[in-house]
Amino acid sequence: MLLDEIGLYFQQNFDQYLSYVYQHLGLSIQAIGISCLIGIPLGYISHKHPKLSQMITLSSQALRIIPSLAVLFLLISFIGIGRAPALIALVLLGIPPILVNTTVGFLEVPAVMIETGKGLGMTDRELLKRVKIPLAFPFVLTGVKLALVEIISSATLATYIGAGGLGTLIFTGLGLNRMDLLLIGGVSVAVLSLAVSILLDYIIKRSVD
């Protein structure tokens, strides 16, 4: 039975399974970190310059049209296989939602709040720290949540180019026609995505309260 095969896999390969999970999470966390370092500053710059905002937003949306697998195979031609091309492809996938939501977050800061801050004698730096960032923060986190869920899901493709992760189970299952491996890999990715989404939803809710 399928459940018996799944149980047997965990009995015999639990350490290997954990290594796949660590590889998957490590790649995803590194990708979201780089995406935040690029997307958040660009989002902040975009909200201050409307023309630049339109150009950056269109460029980021164009990145979302390109399938991750196509980016992976394109990068192989330049930097080979392994972790690096997978990381670059995931970063390109993660930047757009972070950039767009950061831009929207700063644009949604009420003008009256800014004027009130100026009336209290706040400098531009103090306005940014005490007014703009706190009010834009939930939007930024929403962008991070969307990006991270997409990254975790798409990181399964990293197996194609030797970057490891839970995709190894999925593609091995496809190759060997083993439903147990397909189920373990697929459910694991889904659980990770759901757990991240719930955690960030909780953080966003707390930041609003």
Side-chain angles (χ1 to χ4, degrees), residues 10-31:
F10 280 117
Q11 287 178 11
Q12 297 178 346
N13 304 281
F14 187 67
D15 290 341
Q16 185 183 55
Y17 170 77
L18 288 180
S19 72
Y20 291 147
V21 173
Y22 293 149
Q23 289 171 2
H24 203 98
L25 281 175
L27 184 63
S28 299
I29 291 171
Q30 191 173 3

Side-chain angles (χ1 to χ4, degrees), residues 25-203:
L25 281 175
L27 184 63
S28 299
I29 291 171
Q30 191 173 3
I32 194 65
I34 297 172
S35 297
C36 287
L37 289 175
I38 298 172
I40 293 175
L42 282 178
Y44 175 71
I45 292 170
S46 293
H47 101 279
K48 299 186 72 174
H49 306 281
K51 291 184 179 179
L52 181 62
S53 173
Q54 186 177 14
M55 182 182 70
I56 292 176
T57 301
L58 288 174
S59 298
S60 67
Q61 292 300 327
L63 287 176
R64 303 190 72 175
I65 298 174
I66 305 173
S68 300
L69 192 58
V71 176
L72 283 174
F73 285 125
L74 181 63
L75 290 171
I76 289 173
S77 304
F78 296 98
I79 56 179
I81 62 173
R83 187 182 181 88
L87 183 61
I88 294 172
L90 293 175
V91 168
L92 292 176
L93 181 68
I95 289 173
I98 295 174
L99 191 158
V100 170
N101 279 272
T102 300
T103 303
V104 171
F106 281 106
L107 288 174
E108 288 294 317
V109 175
V112 65
M113 298 293 291
I114 297 175
E115 292 302 320
T116 300
K118 289 180 178 178
L120 293 173
M122 290 185 182
T123 64
D124 288 342
R125 181 173 293 183
E126 288 173 332
L127 277 172
L128 178 63
K129 182 179 179 181
R130 299 183 182 181
V131 178
K132 293 182 179 180
I133 289 178
L135 292 176
F137 189 61
F139 291 90
V140 176
L141 277 182
T142 299
V144 172
K145 181 189 78 170
L146 294 172
L148 187 51
V149 169
E150 287 191 43
I151 285 172
I152 289 174
S153 300
S154 299
T156 54
L157 299 175
T159 300
Y160 265 125
I161 56 174
L166 290 166
T168 304
L169 288 172
I170 295 173
F171 291 114
T172 300
L174 285 171
L176 300 178
N177 195 26
R178 286 191 52 182
M179 188 59 65
D180 57 328
L181 298 183
L182 277 170
L183 193 60
I184 292 169
V187 169
S188 297
V189 172
V191 168
L192 284 178
S193 298
L194 182 61
V196 163
S197 182
I198 291 172
L199 176 61
L200 287 174
D201 277 337
Y202 173 75
I203 296 173

